[in-house]
Amino acid sequence: MARVVVEVMLKPEILDPQGQAISRKLPQMGFEGVTAVRQGKRFEIELDGPADEDAVERIRELAGTLLANPVIEDFEVHAE
Amino acid sequence: MARVVVEVMLKPEILDPQGQAISRKLPQMGFEGVTAVRQGKRFEIELDGPADEDAVERIRELAGTLLANPVIEDFEVHAE
């Protein structure tokens, strides 16, 4: 059993209204010092084999088709 | 400028229909060897000061009230 993690975030140039809403709310809650918040997705993928380079590469292909939209999102894949 | 990351995942005992839907779809796409997928959230928080222990601790409090629902979700906070 091994785990591979995929992190998907909107590209920097894409507006993130969810993150902006959180960022705006913080000063009202007495929380100063935050300049920006971005919200993205995290996938934990459990494998029945090892999380070797081949598995990570296959999940990278998967992420680009099923988990992320490469037009508006960047993603990173790593074994954990 | 420093960044703190908050990762929010459903607790293991909470059903994750989104993750299950992805997991079920994989064999149809020719992708074998995945035993489970869990989907969660990732927040990237940009600070105008350093991401020191104090800042991480304040964001940990914030995460438990604004970013995660501790009844059904676990979260981790770390400087990046």
Side-chain angles (χ1 to χ4, degrees):
Chain A
M1 281 283 290
R3 173 181 291 173
V4 175
V5 171
V6 180
E7 295 166 346
V8 180
M9 300 299 294
L10 285 167
K11 288 180 187 285
E13 67 270 26
I14 304 290
L15 202 65
D16 176 3
Q18 288 180 297
Q20 287 181 339
I22 294 165
S23 188
R24 272 199 306 271
K25 188 75 183 172
L26 296 182
Q28 302 173 26
M29 296 177 68
F31 200 95
E32 305 289 344
V34 169
T35 55
V37 178
R38 305 281 288 174
Q39 179 171 346
K41 288 177 282 188
R42 173 186 165 92
F43 298 93
E44 294 181 351
I45 298 172
E46 308 290 340
L47 304 177
D48 59 8
D52 54 15
E53 194 46 55
D54 179 56
V56 169
E57 188 51 45
R58 290 200 305 142
I59 289 177
R60 189 168 285 121
E61 287 175 33
L62 170 76
T65 53
L66 185 64
L67 303 181
N69 176 351
V71 177
I72 60 167
E73 292 170 326
D74 293 324
F75 61 91
E76 287 184 23
V77 180
H78 60 267
E80 189 167 88
Chain B
M1 281 284 290
R3 174 180 293 173
V4 175
V5 171
V6 180
E7 296 166 347
V8 180
M9 301 299 293
L10 285 169
K11 288 180 187 286
E13 67 270 26
I14 304 291
L15 201 66
D16 177 4
Q18 288 181 297
Q20 287 181 339
I22 294 164
S23 188
R24 272 199 305 270
K25 187 75 183 170
L26 296 182
Q28 302 172 24
M29 297 176 70
F31 199 94
E32 304 289 345
V34 170
T35 56
V37 178
R38 305 281 288 173
Q39 179 171 348
K41 289 177 281 189
R42 174 186 164 91
F43 298 91
E44 294 181 352
I45 299 173
E46 309 289 340
L47 304 177
D48 60 8
D52 54 15
E53 194 46 54
D54 179 57
V56 169
E57 188 51 43
R58 290 200 306 141
I59 289 178
R60 189 169 286 121
E61 286 174 33
L62 170 76
T65 53
L66 186 65
L67 303 181
N69 176 351
V71 177
I72 59 167
E73 292 170 326
D74 292 324
F75 61 91
E76 287 184 23
V77 181
H78 59 267
E80 190 167 86

